[in-house]
Amino acid sequence: MKKEHSMRVKLVQWLRSSSFKCILMDLLAFLLILILFFFVCVPKKYSLSVGSISRYTINATQDVIDVVTTQKNKDDAAALVEPSYKFQQDAKEEVLASLSDAFDKLRIIQQYGFTLREENTARRNSFTEDEIAYAFGLTDDLSLNRNQVVTLLRIDTAQFDDMVSTVTTAVENIMNSSVREGQTNQAIQTILQIVGYKLDISLTQNVLPTVLRACIKPNQVIDRETTDEAKKKAMDSVEPVTYLQGQNIVREGDRITKSQLEMLRQLGLLNEDHYDFSVYWGSVIAAILSTLILFMMLFLLSRDVLSNVRQMAVILLILLLCIGFAALSVFLPSIYIVPVALCAALGTVLIGYRVGISLTMTLTLLITALTAGNNRSSYYEVLLISILTLTESMVTIWFLKGHPQRTRVLLSGLFSAVIGIAVVYGINLLTSEKNVNTASVAGWAIGGGILSGALAIAFQPLFEFLFRLATPTRLLELTNPGQPLMKRLMIEAPGTYHHSIIVANLAESAASRIKANSYLARAGAYYHDIGKLKRPMYFKENQMGDNPHEHTDPYVSAAIVVSHTKDGALMAQKEHIPPEVQDIILQHHGVTPVMYFYHKALQLSNGQQVDINEFRYAGPKPTTKEAAIVMLADTIEAAVRSMKSPTPKAIDQFIERLVRGKLEDGQLTDSPLSLRDIDDICGAFSDILKGVYHERIEYPNVPHYASHSAFAGAPETSSDTSSSAPRSDAQENANTGNDEDIKTPEPMLQSGSVPDEMKDEEKEL
């Protein structure tokens, strides 16, 4: 049982997983591709169905009868024929006998009720359930209900006799007249009306309808033979509806009716004489192979995409979009105007060049199969379109790899068009094809290339918006200072904004060094602290004077500080920022504790236990290279800026110490960074920080000039004072790796009030 339960749990988990959702999308895409194949490849003259809109005007090639309309007219004429009836001589006697038998059975129940009332006159018309149940059993074939049985139990013998005589007379009178087949209900209603003024309403509305329905039957039944003969004569008298040769059967834009479709079938204008199952099977095989090739290419080049619902949806939509354009080629003047490079362009700029390559291979097979299945295409066109698809797509991928700017996307269409011209003329020279106008084909190919670039430019923003894709173009837009959150950060939290800019420079340099996504690293660094907009004055870099933490409970202070990651993620989600950037916002502190407030809580606890988990960030730990880079850049920038003497050697040692602290604390265990990557990241950070905190020369104080200068009497110091005073929160950063989230009150740094490890870090700073 436990094993079965475990299997059910695993099955439910799999059904809810991203992998299962991707499989469902893949199956749907396969079916849609198959439908497109059937649309293009199945040969037909006129493929029309009832309710469809005709794209053609079709005339009758010869006189043809509209059999559907003619048959309808005949049916209408037959429906107008009155049926013939024949009289049933013994119907009256049978009805009266049946009625008498029914009344005899009802009398048994009535007499039973009368007997009960005689035995107990005080009870009057009240009966027990057992008595009613017994009365039910006195007669089984009348199908009476409880109310009817109770009504019979309650009536007197005189009432019952009066009902029998009155109803029998009324039935006899009705049966002496005409009761036709199908009019039995009308006869029953007439009888009830006749006896209604003489009998109690409980009998006429409760008991008698059931009895009469069981007994009354028509005394005039339809004469089937005579009636059918009359209907046949009426139908034969109807003139057929005929369409003469040359007359319009269907006009362009008409909604096809059943009569029109049947006339086209009679004329042989519908391709229904036989079915070419080889075309259907060929379409199925081509769709299956193309789907398998897509999976294999993605498995080899970009395996993570196969379980990413959002990216798989984008890939399949791109593929269906391009196959749709290819299917429309049957309505275009030339198949070479199909934008064959669109698939590669969109796949490369939206997800990556590996996906672009996978889509290219799949699309090449699909377009080749579609062109081969179209009976209007020659083998030369099949060969040429497949080579054009492959070469133009690969050139587009090469041209866009690492350069996703929109202008370059548009230029990729022109570039692929030039390659298309070369391919057309090259294949023509190899095959010496005489029946093809090479110049015309080259012209259409140029149009297809330009169309590929233009459509890629048009669809790219749409995909980015619908699926919130972190494309390089979208990430570049997010790093524009004119973005709403960046504007707010610049105005409401200028210190945080300045810090984010420097972190972004560090993160981008490090990401480029280890071949990570530098666009994502920069955008993540720009937005990693936007949560501080909720309470900007609770963070040191935005404070000008009073520090609210000095008057706040350490638990509350810690909650405010650590909540800026969740607050930032919610703000980013509201602004439709890509999920990849939201992940960096949540992960850039991992699960590190805010040691300063933990230490303050210990001092105020009076020896009681303090749970350090209440002072930790919610996490999770960084799961991508870019998130880990932003974490390290955030920590190092905040700490190095507080160094008193930021010499190159001191910067290198300090960076190494901070990164080692993150490693030892386990904050990078979930990230895919290797030790080589970490070394390269440290080197990139060092190069940037050495450039920022380089040594400055001290300008001499010239007495004669100083006496006339506005700066006379100024102390002889370096022109760069940015590093002359250490940041008061550097101790916290050196110890925990946090950024400038708090301002350390001076009393907390007095001798004897700081833990030993914090003293050591202070000395190192």
Short mmCIF file of all heavy atoms in Angstrom, two decimals, residues 10 49 70 73 93 101 199 208 211 267 306 310 326 332 339 358 424 441 458 464 579 712 714 736:
data_model
loop_
_atom_site.label_atom_id
_atom_site.label_comp_id
_atom_site.label_asym_id
_atom_site.label_seq_id
_atom_site.Cartn_x
_atom_site.Cartn_y
_atom_site.Cartn_z
N LYS A 10 4.17 10.35 -6.67
CA LYS A 10 5.15 10.70 -7.71
C LYS A 10 4.45 11.03 -9.03
O LYS A 10 4.87 11.94 -9.74
CB LYS A 10 6.13 9.55 -7.91
CG LYS A 10 7.08 9.35 -6.73
CD LYS A 10 8.06 8.22 -7.00
CE LYS A 10 9.03 8.03 -5.84
NZ LYS A 10 9.97 6.91 -6.08
N SER A 49 -16.64 22.48 -47.28
CA SER A 49 -17.52 21.77 -46.36
C SER A 49 -18.68 22.68 -46.01
O SER A 49 -18.63 23.89 -46.25
CB SER A 49 -16.77 21.35 -45.09
OG SER A 49 -16.26 22.49 -44.42
N THR A 70 -34.57 19.91 -53.79
CA THR A 70 -35.69 19.18 -54.37
C THR A 70 -36.30 18.22 -53.36
O THR A 70 -37.53 18.12 -53.22
CB THR A 70 -35.24 18.41 -55.61
OG1 THR A 70 -34.71 19.32 -56.58
CG2 THR A 70 -36.39 17.64 -56.23
N ASN A 73 -38.34 20.08 -50.85
CA ASN A 73 -39.65 20.47 -51.39
C ASN A 73 -40.61 19.28 -51.42
O ASN A 73 -41.80 19.42 -51.14
CB ASN A 73 -39.48 21.04 -52.80
CG ASN A 73 -38.73 22.36 -52.80
OD1 ASN A 73 -38.65 23.03 -51.78
ND2 ASN A 73 -38.18 22.74 -53.95
N GLU A 93 -66.22 -1.20 -27.45
CA GLU A 93 -66.41 -2.27 -26.49
C GLU A 93 -65.13 -2.54 -25.70
O GLU A 93 -65.16 -2.78 -24.48
CB GLU A 93 -66.88 -3.54 -27.20
CG GLU A 93 -68.31 -3.49 -27.70
CD GLU A 93 -68.48 -2.60 -28.94
OE1 GLU A 93 -67.42 -2.27 -29.55
OE2 GLU A 93 -69.62 -2.24 -29.26
N ASP A 101 -63.20 -2.87 -15.91
CA ASP A 101 -62.21 -3.67 -15.16
C ASP A 101 -61.39 -2.77 -14.23
O ASP A 101 -61.12 -3.13 -13.08
CB ASP A 101 -61.30 -4.39 -16.14
CG ASP A 101 -60.28 -5.26 -15.44
OD1 ASP A 101 -60.68 -6.18 -14.71
OD2 ASP A 101 -59.06 -4.99 -15.61
N LEU A 199 -68.20 15.65 -10.46
CA LEU A 199 -67.37 14.88 -9.53
C LEU A 199 -66.46 15.79 -8.73
O LEU A 199 -66.18 16.93 -9.12
CB LEU A 199 -66.53 13.86 -10.31
CG LEU A 199 -67.31 12.85 -11.15
CD1 LEU A 199 -66.34 11.92 -11.86
CD2 LEU A 199 -68.28 12.05 -10.27
N LEU A 208 -58.75 10.01 -12.01
CA LEU A 208 -59.30 9.70 -13.33
C LEU A 208 -58.30 9.85 -14.48
O LEU A 208 -58.34 9.04 -15.42
CB LEU A 208 -60.54 10.58 -13.59
CG LEU A 208 -61.77 10.21 -12.77
CD1 LEU A 208 -62.92 11.16 -13.09
CD2 LEU A 208 -62.18 8.77 -13.06
N VAL A 211 -56.51 6.61 -14.89
CA VAL A 211 -57.40 5.53 -15.34
C VAL A 211 -57.71 5.69 -16.82
O VAL A 211 -57.67 4.72 -17.61
CB VAL A 211 -58.68 5.52 -14.50
CG1 VAL A 211 -59.68 4.49 -15.04
CG2 VAL A 211 -58.37 5.26 -13.04
N LEU A 267 -21.18 16.92 -59.79
CA LEU A 267 -20.41 17.37 -60.95
C LEU A 267 -18.97 16.90 -60.92
O LEU A 267 -18.21 17.16 -61.87
CB LEU A 267 -20.45 18.90 -61.04
CG LEU A 267 -21.82 19.52 -61.33
CD1 LEU A 267 -21.76 21.02 -61.18
CD2 LEU A 267 -22.27 19.14 -62.75
N LEU A 306 14.30 22.35 -22.26
CA LEU A 306 13.29 21.31 -22.40
C LEU A 306 12.33 21.24 -21.21
O LEU A 306 11.21 20.75 -21.35
CB LEU A 306 13.96 19.95 -22.60
CG LEU A 306 14.68 19.76 -23.94
CD1 LEU A 306 15.45 18.45 -23.95
CD2 LEU A 306 13.69 19.80 -25.09
N ARG A 310 8.13 28.42 -20.01
CA ARG A 310 8.05 29.71 -20.69
C ARG A 310 8.88 29.69 -21.98
O ARG A 310 8.41 30.10 -23.05
CB ARG A 310 8.56 30.80 -19.74
CG ARG A 310 8.34 32.21 -20.17
CD ARG A 310 8.44 33.14 -18.96
NE ARG A 310 9.61 32.85 -18.16
CZ ARG A 310 10.76 33.53 -18.26
NH1 ARG A 310 10.86 34.54 -19.10
NH2 ARG A 310 11.79 33.23 -17.50
N ALA A 326 5.04 29.61 -44.03
CA ALA A 326 5.38 28.70 -45.12
C ALA A 326 4.12 28.10 -45.75
O ALA A 326 4.04 27.92 -46.97
CB ALA A 326 6.30 27.59 -44.62
N LEU A 332 0.68 32.72 -52.29
CA LEU A 332 1.62 33.76 -52.69
C LEU A 332 2.09 33.53 -54.12
O LEU A 332 2.07 32.39 -54.61
CB LEU A 332 2.81 33.80 -51.74
CG LEU A 332 2.47 34.07 -50.26
CD1 LEU A 332 3.73 33.99 -49.40
CD2 LEU A 332 1.82 35.43 -50.10
N PRO A 339 9.51 34.13 -45.38
CA PRO A 339 10.61 34.59 -44.51
C PRO A 339 11.26 33.42 -43.78
O PRO A 339 11.01 33.17 -42.59
CB PRO A 339 9.91 35.54 -43.54
CG PRO A 339 8.50 35.07 -43.48
CD PRO A 339 8.18 34.53 -44.85
N SER A 358 18.80 25.06 -33.29
CA SER A 358 17.83 23.96 -33.18
C SER A 358 16.59 24.24 -34.03
O SER A 358 16.09 23.35 -34.75
CB SER A 358 17.43 23.78 -31.71
OG SER A 358 18.55 23.53 -30.90
N VAL A 424 20.97 31.12 -54.87
CA VAL A 424 20.14 30.91 -56.06
C VAL A 424 21.00 30.78 -57.30
O VAL A 424 20.85 29.83 -58.10
CB VAL A 424 19.13 32.07 -56.21
CG1 VAL A 424 18.44 31.99 -57.57
CG2 VAL A 424 18.10 32.02 -55.10
N VAL A 441 13.55 34.51 -59.24
CA VAL A 441 13.72 33.79 -57.98
C VAL A 441 14.60 34.59 -57.02
O VAL A 441 14.31 34.70 -55.82
CB VAL A 441 14.32 32.40 -58.24
CG1 VAL A 441 14.68 31.72 -56.93
CG2 VAL A 441 13.34 31.53 -59.03
N ALA A 458 9.24 43.20 -35.69
CA ALA A 458 7.85 43.40 -35.27
C ALA A 458 7.45 42.44 -34.15
O ALA A 458 6.76 42.84 -33.20
CB ALA A 458 6.93 43.22 -36.48
N GLU A 464 8.67 39.46 -26.11
CA GLU A 464 9.29 39.93 -24.87
C GLU A 464 8.24 40.35 -23.85
O GLU A 464 8.38 40.07 -22.66
CB GLU A 464 10.23 41.09 -25.17
CG GLU A 464 11.48 40.71 -25.93
CD GLU A 464 12.31 41.91 -26.36
OE1 GLU A 464 11.80 43.04 -26.26
OE2 GLU A 464 13.46 41.72 -26.79
N PRO A 579 11.48 37.46 -15.04
CA PRO A 579 11.70 36.65 -13.83
C PRO A 579 13.17 36.45 -13.50
O PRO A 579 13.50 36.30 -12.33
CB PRO A 579 11.02 35.32 -14.19
CG PRO A 579 10.02 35.66 -15.22
CD PRO A 579 10.62 36.79 -16.01
N ALA A 712 42.41 79.60 0.21
CA ALA A 712 43.51 79.94 1.11
C ALA A 712 43.21 79.42 2.50
O ALA A 712 42.12 79.59 3.02
CB ALA A 712 43.70 81.46 1.15
N ALA A 714 43.20 76.30 3.26
CA ALA A 714 42.68 74.93 3.21
C ALA A 714 43.79 73.96 3.53
O ALA A 714 44.95 74.19 3.19
CB ALA A 714 42.11 74.64 1.83
N THR A 736 29.71 39.86 7.45
CA THR A 736 28.60 39.08 6.90
C THR A 736 28.49 39.16 5.41
O THR A 736 27.77 38.39 4.82
CB THR A 736 27.27 39.58 7.49
OG1 THR A 736 27.04 40.89 7.01
CG2 THR A 736 27.31 39.60 9.00
#
